[in-house]
Amino acid sequence: MKEVQAARDLYVALTTGDQARLAHLLHPGFVVRATDGLPLDLGGVYSGPEEAWREFWGRIGQHFRVRAEPQDFHELAGGGLLVTGRYVGKARATGAPVDAGFAHVLRFTDGRISELVQYTDSARWAEALDGRPPADKAGRRELTVVGFDVSDGLARVRLDRPAARNALDLDMALDLQEVSLRCAETPGLRAVLLTGEGPAFTVGGDVKLFASTPHAELAGLVDTMITPYHDALDRLARLDVPIVCAVHGAAAGGGLGLMHCADLVLAAEDTKFALGFSALGLSGDGGSTWFLPRMIGSRRAAELFLEPRVLSAREAQEWGIVTRVVAAGAIEDEALAVARRLAAGPTRAFAELRRLLRESWQHTLPEQLAAEQRAQGRATATADSAEGIEAFKSRREPDFQGR
């Protein structure tokens, strides 16, 4: 794709300082919108290739020896690219390392780059300039609005924008993408628990943010948020460990996607469920158009999307959206107990089961029977299978080790 190649060329030209190449790549009306809060007052808007080089990239080069390393390129529905990757290098004065994730939205006019919107962790740049070590020595994105910890094989993921009722913004989308990567790469992981801080699990997309964004820029903002969020959902859905989701207060909009990725969903009895996209003139995201027809049927899924229907926790259980309803005051403890039980289970058998259920929708019956046979063969060869059979013979509880 020509736009991806142009983006790659941009990063090479910036790394090598090739201004002639930049002049060829950048449209005369080129604009950089740099992250607010960058040190040296670098955040802001720079108009024109010359100003962008002189006042933004040039000043970065005076104070930092750093390069942008793009990792993923995603086409945006409204046109352009979302590029994610890392800034890697060091501050010239202190020698302290710079290791900061970035998301760039690139727009094109007449085949040339006409806009670059930059999102990056400005604190990482300030730390390097001050000589402080990066907060996350593993080189990962520093989480800001999602909590993550792992104990005894159980990962606990907690949405943490309580004042905004855990509305999804770019920071949360990027945090969830980061958390999904950590889950996928954590050795010995055996289960995941998803919860939310404050009065609601999540109300979906941050409508206040949408309302404060100029309408001409809204499609780009939404695309920028959806790409890492959908990447997170896809990775969570494909994890080889079971996921428990505990919801309370409200679960709405694209936030339902987190529930859909889970195997077991516990809902506090006061929870309300809604999509709400049509009221905003939107079509939907978060995977609900894929998951809901399979969970509740196409007619009910259409009703939730087309009508302003709000489901109670009991209705959501009856429809098959949640597993069971729990007293509001007991939701945290009950969900944690369930997650811990699953974390103590036969992890590799659970992985086979998750995969079988996920892929069953695309298989014919003969294909699914064959897949079951292959999976059962792999599960039978595990140490946990031997332990389960021995425990059955000995009439005791099995002690599964996840192997």
Side-chain angles (χ1 to χ4, degrees):
M1 179 184 177
K2 292 182 178 179
E3 292 184 348
V4 172
Q5 187 57 54
R8 292 186 186 279
D9 290 346
L10 171 67
Y11 295 113
V12 172
L14 290 173
T15 298
T16 59
D18 188 342
Q19 295 187 54
R21 182 61 177 159
L22 284 174
H24 176 75
L25 291 168
L26 301 181
H27 189 272
F30 176 73
V31 173
V32 173
R33 303 184 190 278
T35 300
D36 289 338
L38 283 172
L40 306 170
D41 294 323
L42 286 167
V45 179
Y46 301 87
S47 300
E50 291 185 4
E51 183 176 279
W53 176 259
R54 183 180 67 252
E55 301 297 333
F56 183 58
W57 290 316
R59 290 183 63 210
I60 289 176
Q62 290 173 7
H63 297 276
F64 298 91
R65 182 177 286 114
V66 69
R67 66 185 182 278
E69 295 185 346
Q71 296 169 349
D72 294 297
F73 299 81
H74 305 276
E75 293 183 51
L76 299 176
L81 293 174
L82 170 65
V83 185
T84 57
R86 304 200 73 79
Y87 290 112
V88 178
K90 61 183 180 179
R92 293 182 182 274
T94 66
V98 175
D99 189 341
F102 71 76
H104 292 163
V105 177
L106 300 181
R107 302 292 182 186
F108 295 81
T109 301
D110 299 330
R112 301 169 77 180
I113 302 168
S114 56
E115 183 182 42
L116 186 156
V117 183
Q118 177 208 47
Y119 302 92
T120 187
D121 186 348
S122 57
R124 290 289 182 89
W125 294 80
E127 288 168 354
L129 205 61
D130 292 343
R132 288 177 285 162
D136 182 358
K137 295 181 181 179
R140 289 294 200 185
R141 170 183 167 83
E142 184 176 1
L143 301 175
T144 59
V145 290
V146 176
F148 179 77
D149 65 82
V150 181
S151 178
D152 297 326
L154 174 62
R156 300 179 67 173
V157 179
R158 193 173 190 86
L159 309 184
D160 196 13
R161 288 190 75 204
R165 302 181 73 202
N166 293 325
L168 296 164
D169 63 356
L170 181 62
D171 281 337
M172 185 168 284
L174 291 171
D175 275 11
L176 286 168
Q177 183 183 47
E178 173 65 26
V179 161
S180 72
L181 286 165
R182 294 188 190 187
C183 286
E185 296 173 1
T186 297
L189 188 69
R190 300 182 67 184
V192 175
L193 174 61
L194 300 174
T195 61
E197 185 67 41
F201 175 66
T202 175
V203 294
D206 192 335
V207 179
K208 289 184 178 180
L209 173 62
F210 299 163
S212 66
T213 301
H215 193 262
E217 301 174 14
L218 186 57
L221 171 66
V222 171
D223 271 335
T224 303
M225 291 169 52
I226 286 177
T227 297
Y229 181 51
H230 279 187
D231 181 56
L233 295 180
D234 180 56
R235 191 173 290 105
L236 289 171
R238 292 185 288 107
L239 286 179
D240 284 341
V241 300
I243 299 176
V244 177
C245 184
V247 298
H248 69 285
L256 291 176
L258 291 166
M259 288 171 39
H260 300 332
C261 293
D263 304 284
L264 300 177
V265 179
L266 279 61
E269 57 191 357
D270 63 347
T271 312
K272 302 297 182 184
F273 300 82
L275 288 173
F277 292 110
S278 61
L280 301 173
L282 301 176
S283 57
D285 56 50
S288 285
T289 60
W290 192 89
F291 284 101
L292 284 176
R294 289 162 170 79
M295 288 181 178
I296 64 178
S298 60
R299 296 296 186 193
R300 280 181 162 173
E303 181 180 3
L304 282 180
F305 274 102
L306 298 175
E307 295 279 1
R309 181 70 183 265
V310 178
L311 299 182
S312 68
R314 293 293 177 188
E315 288 173 319
Q317 182 184 25
E318 291 169 5
W319 282 32
I321 295 174
V322 305
T323 307
R324 63 176 178 267
V325 177
V326 179
I331 184 69
E332 291 273 350
D333 290 342
E334 179 66 16
L336 180 57
V338 171
R340 282 175 172 164
R341 285 199 299 271
L342 293 178
T347 308
R348 292 179 63 184
F350 285 162
E352 299 289 355
L353 177 59
R354 270 199 120 215
R355 191 176 302 110
L356 285 168
L357 291 173
R358 181 172 65 248
E359 296 176 357
S360 66
W361 294 101
Q362 64 199 52
H363 287 168
T364 64
L365 176 58
E367 289 171 338
Q368 188 69 6
L369 292 173
E372 286 183 351
Q373 184 173 359
R374 292 191 296 269
Q376 194 74 299
R378 291 189 293 267
T380 303
T382 64
D384 278 344
S385 172
E387 165 62 15
I389 293 169
E390 183 60 35
F392 178 82
K393 287 167 53 179
S394 304
R395 298 185 180 181
R396 60 173 174 80
E397 289 296 318
D399 181 18
F400 294 122
Q401 299 298 310
R403 299 193 296 271

